[in-house]
Amino acid sequence: MLFAKADLYAMDITVYHTSDVHGSYGSHKAGKAFGENAGKKIGGYPVLISLLKQEKNPYLLLDSGDLFQGTPEGAVLKGQASADFMNLAGYDAVAAGNHDFDYGGVGFKQLCKKMKAAMLSANMQKKEGRGKKGGNFPDYVKPYTIIKKAGKRIAVIGLSHKNSTEIGGRDLGDDIAGFEDEAFTVVNIVREVREKEKPDAVILLNHSGTFGSAFQGMIIDASKEKLNDFGGYAGVEMASLAKEMSEGAGGIDLVLSGHEHTGLLHGYYDKGSGTWFSESGTKLEYVSRAELHFDDSTGKLSGIKVELIPLWADKYGENAKALKLVKKYEKLVQKQMGKTIGYIANGLPAGINTLENPLAIWTCHITQAEAAGEISIQNSSSFSVGLPAGKVTMQDLYKSMRFDNTLYKIQMPGRGIMELVKANFTKNDSAQAYFSGMEVSYLAGKNGPENIKIKVAGKPLDMKQIYTVISNDYFVNVNKLGAAFKKYAVKIENTGYGVRETMQKKLEATSASSPLIGNWPSCYHELAIKGVKK
């Protein structure tokens, strides 16, 4: 269904979408990724709310989950601040993301109770005997909601990541048993909603991504990407299945995805399913805006237009009430987060997918020791912000390690370790995983690293030998680049140790007179070809 020119009396309903806010409540400097606009302020609820007040069409405001985990304000207050901001903004519905369970089932329930928006998760499974008699969901969660807007009935379905039950080994509490497979759920719920509710449009809030991890963390124009090179498009495949299995009832009109932190500049239209897709990046730097066009003569949905809007503070302004709320929580958290917890002589720099990442290498070494492993392998996405030289505060630590990840101990053969390295090291100048207890050597080839060799404790990696590897819950359970863990693991154990807690413990062992020395070289070593100067 492509966007058509508006008829003289046609109606538009606008849908705004955010996802993976991760506690980024206020605006911040845009940074290098925004080029010449790096110094400008972007993002945050004050800007979003100011933009919404300028909207002329009737609109819905939706979110695809992962609301709070990622900043001191989000983590320390356990999501309660997110509820305040989202209530102020006027959200209609939210899909439960995996990080929304970081404080277990009790924390999730408290979050739901405080939020005015409907919390949705069609694939959530209720424990037997809990919640409303005969119902399939806890009292504070719905599979879908019907939103009435300008005379139209819009069905909004929520879908959680199926591994939300495994991430970090969180205790889901007395009400929630786990989560069903996303595709299985979508096929059934879309057909049920179409037949039972007869909605004018169906929207899916999906916390499993559109294209899997193919464009993780990227802002892209999907029309210019060679999508067929990747495959395994979770969101697209679910929409196609829903259409095929609907028995003529109709499929999904608009999928609003999250989890992969991807941004789709102009959305993506899948001809096979007739479905539009959008994703909104992360840290509330963008909001997706989708116009649903209804033909006045038929009353039916006749087109959708999608765009990704950067939330520039100087363009849209900042809402005064939301700004006041930002300052309130910053002040509240600062009292707890200003405490000095350690000292570093020369700082621990970090960076996104860089080969040199002292913070990541140090973290690998200390987690390997803490959980008694031979090797530690940690994913790069956790190490984009370094720790400063001199005094290190609790706030510095929370900014550096944003997520409450838990250490896993995995028994796996050498061939699985080699597969992990190759999956996460495909370019000569960047990497998506870091290690301790082993070294990786390679030749810089024309199309990426070649002749990759691994040594563990100074000896060549034995493909058949079982090694004890330390990693984290996200890398093992969610990140597709960590698929080799479950593919090869003989045993996986949740140690109960937190990554951030381990970092804090080691920093607290330092002092001003005996600081941590930040000399942690890369685990990747490029080999020179004989007779060729590097």
Side-chain angles (χ1 to χ4, degrees):
M1 186 188 307
L2 294 172
F3 182 74
K5 281 189 175 181
D7 297 322
L8 185 60
Y9 301 107
M11 176 196 297
D12 289 335
I13 293 176
T14 300
V15 178
Y16 283 99
H17 172 257
T18 59
S19 189
D20 300 283
V21 173
H22 288 295
S24 292
Y25 301 134
S27 61
H28 56 270
K29 284 189 177 180
K32 294 181 180 179
F34 290 87
E36 62 183 17
N37 293 317
K40 292 174 62 176
K41 289 175 65 178
I42 193 171
Y45 285 110
V47 182
L48 173 63
I49 293 172
S50 183
L51 168 64
L52 293 173
K53 289 184 178 298
Q54 299 169 43
E55 176 61 53
K56 295 180 180 179
N57 292 336
Y59 68 85
L60 283 65
L61 181 57
L62 309 172
D63 188 278
S64 292
D66 279 4
L67 308 179
F68 59 87
Q69 192 60 265
T71 65
E73 292 78 13
V76 170
L77 298 167
K78 299 184 178 181
Q80 296 302 296
S82 293
D84 283 342
F85 282 107
M86 298 179 83
N87 288 344
L88 181 62
Y91 277 81
D92 294 290
V94 178
N98 55 282
H99 280 294
D100 299 325
F101 297 93
D102 276 3
Y103 295 104
V106 172
F108 176 71
K109 182 176 182 178
Q110 290 173 343
L111 177 66
C112 295
K113 294 287 188 179
K114 189 171 183 179
M115 290 184 62
K116 295 178 181 178
M119 182 62 78
L120 308 178
S121 179
N123 58 329
M124 181 181 287
Q125 296 175 306
K126 182 191 72 173
K127 284 186 178 177
E128 193 171 341
R130 304 296 298 183
K132 293 178 180 178
K133 187 176 181 180
N136 296 320
F137 301 88
D139 301 346
Y140 45 90
V141 178
K142 299 178 180 180
Y144 68 89
T145 186
I146 301 295
I147 300 172
K148 297 177 181 179
K149 190 69 63 172
K152 299 297 180 183
R153 301 176 74 253
I154 313 296
V156 181
I157 301 168
L159 196 68
S160 299
H161 197 291
K162 65 181 178 182
N163 288 334
S164 293
T165 184
E166 300 176 23
I167 296 166
R170 309 300 181 201
D171 179 6
L172 294 180
D174 296 329
D175 298 336
I176 304 168
F179 299 85
E180 289 184 328
D181 179 76
E182 298 99 330
F184 174 81
T185 300
V186 165
V187 166
N188 290 297
I189 194 68
V190 171
R191 185 168 55 208
E192 175 189 334
V193 168
R194 284 286 188 186
E195 293 176 350
K196 179 180 177 181
E197 302 290 352
K198 308 296 184 195
D200 296 294
V202 172
I203 297 173
L204 174 67
L205 294 178
N206 165 40
H207 197 76
S208 298
T210 301
F211 303 112
S213 59
F215 304 105
Q216 189 176 49
M218 299 169 63
I219 306 299
I220 66 167
D221 183 344
S223 66
K224 296 180 180 179
E225 299 292 340
K226 295 181 179 179
L227 299 177
N228 291 333
D229 291 347
F230 295 94
Y233 307 145
V236 177
E237 290 173 352
M238 284 191 290
S240 296
L241 278 171
K243 181 68 178 294
E244 291 172 13
M245 303 297 288
S246 69
E247 298 180 356
I252 307 166
D253 298 304
L254 176 64
V255 176
L256 301 171
S257 297
H259 186 62
E260 298 296 349
H261 298 188
T262 304
L264 303 181
L265 288 171
H266 308 292
Y268 172 72
Y269 181 71
D270 178 53
K271 295 180 181 178
S273 61
T275 302
W276 272 97
F277 293 81
S278 188
E279 290 193 56
S280 304
T282 184
K283 297 193 296 186
L284 201 54
E285 293 179 336
Y286 296 89
V287 63
S288 289
R289 183 181 188 274
E291 283 190 6
L292 276 57
H293 179 77
F294 293 91
D295 186 282
D296 187 65
S297 61
T298 64
K300 294 183 178 180
L301 182 66
S302 58
I304 298 176
K305 182 180 180 180
V306 179
E307 63 177 326
L308 188 66
I309 301 173
L311 291 171
W312 294 114
D314 63 350
K315 183 173 182 179
Y316 300 110
E318 295 185 269
N319 177 264
K321 286 186 179 180
L323 270 176
K324 187 176 181 180
L325 205 55
V326 169
K327 291 176 182 177
K328 170 188 172 182
Y329 283 122
E330 285 179 347
K331 185 177 180 180
L332 181 64
V333 168
Q334 188 59 43
K335 291 180 180 179
Q336 303 177 55
M337 305 301 285
K339 175 188 174 185
T340 298
I341 59 170
Y343 299 82
I344 303 176
N346 50 357
L348 284 174
I352 300 175
N353 299 342
T354 57
L355 293 181
E356 300 282 346
N357 196 319
L359 174 65
I361 302 302
W362 172 69
T363 304
C364 286
H365 279 275
I366 64 172
T367 53
Q368 179 188 338
E370 184 75 4
E374 296 170 89
I375 298 166
S376 180
I377 304 177
Q378 304 294 331
N379 56 294
S380 64
S381 58
S382 296
F383 302 102
S384 60
V385 179
L387 287 171
K391 290 182 180 180
V392 179
T393 66
M394 186 71 83
Q395 187 161 24
D396 292 326
L397 180 58
Y398 267 78
K399 285 182 177 179
S400 181
M401 175 48 64
R402 298 175 296 154
F403 304 113
D404 281 342
N405 289 336
T406 303
L407 293 177
Y408 274 23
K409 181 181 287 188
I410 307 102
Q411 307 289 336
M412 63 189 300
R415 64 180 179 274
I417 295 170
M418 177 62 81
E419 187 169 312
L420 267 170
V421 171
K422 289 183 176 180
N424 288 275
F425 186 38
T426 59
K427 297 180 181 179
N428 294 322
D429 59 352
S430 66
Q432 293 178 291
Y434 301 102
F435 320 98
S436 66
M438 59 185 251
E439 293 184 347
V440 177
S441 61
Y442 66 99
L443 294 174
K446 184 178 180 181
N447 298 313
E450 298 177 352
N451 197 28
I452 293 175
K453 296 185 182 299
I454 299 174
K455 286 187 175 181
V456 178
K459 298 179 181 180
L461 180 73
D462 186 328
M463 295 297 172
K464 295 182 180 180
Q465 181 178 331
I466 301 298
Y467 294 90
T468 301
V469 180
I470 308 303
S471 192
N472 65 77
D473 55 289
Y474 173 78
F475 206 6
V476 173
N477 290 326
V478 181
N479 192 322
K480 291 185 179 180
L481 294 174
F485 283 119
K486 288 192 172 180
K487 179 179 178 181
Y488 290 97
V490 176
K491 182 181 180 181
I492 297 177
E493 174 189 355
N494 180 355
T495 70
Y497 299 123
V499 177
R500 191 193 299 120
E501 287 75 16
T502 301
M503 296 167 76
Q504 181 177 342
K505 178 181 176 181
K506 299 302 179 183
L507 286 168
E508 288 176 340
T510 67
S511 65
S513 59
S514 182
L516 175 70
I517 305 299
N519 181 25
W520 301 92
S522 175
C523 52
Y524 294 94
H525 304 285
E526 182 183 351
L527 300 176
I529 301 175
K530 191 174 182 180
V532 178
K533 291 184 178 180
K534 286 176 62 177

